[in-house]
Amino acid sequence: MSRRPGGPEISDDPVAVGPIATLSVAYADTSAARLGFSLDAPLQDPLAVRDAEIDGITVSVRLLGTSHQVVLDDGVHRICETVACLPEVASAVPESFQQTGYHFTSRVEQATADRFATLVEQLTALVTERSAAGFPCVLGVFPGHPHAVTAIVTDASPEEISWRTWHAYPNAGEVVVTASHLTRDRVADS
């Protein structure tokens, strides 16, 4: 573990053991317009991953650089949400998408340097808190660029499993924020 000046403890392992991970690749800024969306892209090698079981459903949150995969698997059925800059993920990220039991929304926020600094502080606290509560969460920090982060935070209720993501692009002044939820019976039906 290492500590950024004034920041949280960060795992030096490229695949995270803790909720805060320094990613093993250099930061390459992109923009919201380059991201794609898929529910059936192949699994990618993650830079950081956190897994947990929630009532018999394995939830895996996976950072792929400035993108993510969230995989829910009940041992029989699997759903894999991918938001990434990958050839396999050619569909643009929709503002809203629904499929039986699954709902996805996204938005792009404009951000200043001060807003990015505040966002990183807030995400660090949120990821740490939710992870301590037993939920799979991860915040990936790119080396040398403290505001370039990608984060995934999960939650659950008796009816659904939900997650939110943040993809920060400081050079473009953009943050892509997504929110998804999946009814528990949807995993069993997929």
Side-chain angles (χ1 to χ4, degrees):
M1 294 287 235
S2 60
R3 185 178 292 276
R4 284 186 298 145
E9 284 195 341
I10 298 172
S11 169
D12 295 319
D13 186 347
V15 176
V17 196
I20 312 296
T22 297
L23 302 178
S24 62
V25 298
Y27 177 66
D29 199 42
T30 186
S31 66
R34 296 204 45 219
L35 286 173
F37 171 82
S38 174
L39 290 178
D40 58 9
L43 285 179
Q44 304 294 312
D45 291 330
L47 297 174
V49 63
R50 295 276 292 174
D51 295 338
E53 186 174 304
I54 300 174
D55 298 328
I57 298 171
T58 300
V59 179
S60 179
V61 296
R62 308 160 63 85
L63 296 183
L64 314 173
T66 58
S67 52
H68 79 266
Q69 285 187 312
V70 175
V71 182
L72 286 81
D73 190 327
D74 67 0
V76 177
H77 302 91
R78 183 178 82 182
I79 187 167
C80 177
E81 176 189 281
T82 305
V83 173
C85 300
L86 295 169
E88 301 92 343
V89 185
S91 297
V93 176
E95 287 184 19
S96 182
F97 176 85
Q98 285 188 226
Q99 191 175 60
T100 307
Y102 169 82
H103 188 247
F104 171 90
T105 60
S106 72
R107 69 182 187 278
V108 179
E109 298 177 354
Q110 301 302 308
T112 63
D114 288 343
R115 173 68 185 120
F116 278 110
T118 301
L119 178 66
V120 170
E121 287 178 24
Q122 292 170 339
L123 289 175
T124 299
L126 181 61
V127 166
T128 301
E129 172 191 313
R130 298 307 298 152
S131 184
F135 292 96
C137 303
V138 66
L139 172 69
V141 180
F142 288 90
H145 207 306
H147 299 154
V149 299
T150 303
I152 307 170
V153 175
T154 63
D155 203 351
S157 72
E159 296 81 30
E160 66 184 24
I161 296 174
S162 60
W163 57 97
R164 294 177 288 160
T165 73
W166 294 262
H167 304 255
Y169 303 116
N171 294 345
E174 297 175 329
V175 179
V176 177
V177 181
T178 73
S180 305
H181 63 263
L182 183 70
T183 59
R184 290 176 184 254
D185 59 352
R186 172 62 175 95
V187 177
D189 293 339
S190 61

